[in-house]
Amino acid sequence: MLLQRATWPEVKEYLHQSQAVVIPIGSTEQHGPTGLIGTDAICPETIAAGMADAGILVAPTLSIGMAQHHLAFPGSISLRPTTLIAVIRDVVGSLASQGFTHFYFLNGHGGNIATVQAAFAEIWADYSLAARTSGLKLKLANWFTGSRVVALSRELFGDAEGSHATPSEISLTWHAYPDAVRDQPLQPLRAPNGPIRDASDYRSHFPDGRIGSEPGLASRAHGQRLYEAGLADALADFRAFAQA
Ligand code: NI
């Protein structure tokens, strides 16, 4: 069940049988010359839509995240870490006030991980410092680190996966949006690797936006398989979490 297409009596009914909710979280940032700017939000949103079909409540995607290092590329949008922490606290606080206890953040962007964990620490601190019991369970799961997805990415792409604008994530967006396929050749075939700093440093070291990846290997057929692997990973992980 997608929260945005549900009514409040339907959510009330859902709460009688489950207090667990999925919150897809991503980023709005360049993904190289052939990748969609929404890639990191589209990937977890697509997998979460499959979870919604299985009867799990899925909240609206938090589509803007930690992307300061991409800001030298047109179209990228970033929050500050403190802003995202505030957003996560308020989203969790809103649903917790109605009886939700289990919050499963399905993430599509490695750059969000530290900040989401910091938001969880802030939420715990709210309760601990007030000597109150929260009863809350918070989990961050990255769709791209599930065991089935990792095994399949390795089989399909090996070291050409890289770490940004990867053939795996681009394949998954092409599965979700077949009209988005952009098949132009890229030079060099494989992008350079290295550390991430500020936006101008990033643009000078990674001039077309990619890091270590060969998105030319992406395809819709691979995207279909990655979707199935990602959904199986997420369903198994969520169901174990929701019972904890
Ligand atoms: Ni990405």
Side-chain angles (χ1 to χ4, degrees):
M1 177 163 70
L2 292 171
L3 182 64
Q4 289 199 305
R5 294 189 215 163
T7 64
W8 73 260
E10 288 165 354
V11 177
K12 185 181 172 204
E13 191 61 32
Y14 177 90
L15 270 168
H16 286 314
Q17 31 128 351
S18 174
Q19 297 77 48
V21 61
V22 174
I23 304 173
I25 181 166
S27 186
T28 298
E29 60 184 50
Q30 68 81 19
H31 271 72
T34 55
L36 303 181
I37 286 173
T39 295
D40 288 356
I42 290 168
C43 289
E45 182 171 84
T46 299
I47 292 167
M51 301 174 80
D53 288 342
I56 296 161
L57 185 66
V58 175
T61 303
L62 305 181
S63 296
I64 301 179
M66 298 295 96
Q68 61 78 20
H69 48 287
H70 294 295
L71 289 178
F73 295 88
S76 300
I77 302 174
S78 187
L79 302 178
R80 293 167 185 274
T82 46
T83 313
L84 183 59
I85 289 168
V87 168
I88 291 170
R89 283 176 77 182
D90 288 355
V91 169
V92 169
S94 299
L95 293 170
S97 77
Q98 299 150 11
F100 286 94
T101 54
H102 289 58
F103 294 81
Y104 187 89
F105 286 81
L106 186 61
N107 180 40
H109 176 48
N112 285 343
I113 294 171
T115 304
V116 174
Q117 297 291 4
F120 291 176
E122 287 281 357
I123 292 166
W124 299 133
D126 286 340
Y127 289 92
S128 300
L129 290 168
R132 288 190 293 134
T133 304
S134 72
L136 297 184
K137 301 260 184 354
L138 309 171
K139 177 160 185 172
L140 176 66
N142 306 302
W143 78 268
F144 50 88
T145 57
S147 60
R148 294 168 184 84
V149 166
V150 167
L152 181 57
S153 293
R154 184 127 285 277
E155 173 197 323
L156 293 173
F157 309 121
D159 290 340
E161 173 76 352
S163 59
H164 184 66
T166 69
S168 290
E169 60 184 349
I170 288 176
S171 294
L172 182 49
T173 63
W174 290 355
H175 166 69
Y177 296 101
D179 291 346
V181 174
R182 288 157 170 79
D183 247 346
Q184 80 198 61
L186 297 177
Q187 285 300 330
L189 216 53
R190 187 174 303 186
N193 259 306
I196 298 169
R197 301 185 186 94
D198 62 36
S200 67
D201 180 85
Y202 185 108
R203 178 106 198 209
S204 67
H205 285 98
F206 311 105
D208 76 0
R210 299 173 291 150
I211 304 177
S213 63
E214 285 186 39
L217 299 171
S219 76
R220 284 178 57 194
H222 292 337
Q224 164 84 34
R225 293 183 65 192
L226 285 157
Y227 168 73
E228 287 163 5
L231 181 57
D233 279 340
L235 281 174
D237 192 45
F238 173 85
R239 284 172 176 150
F241 169 71
Q243 287 166 5

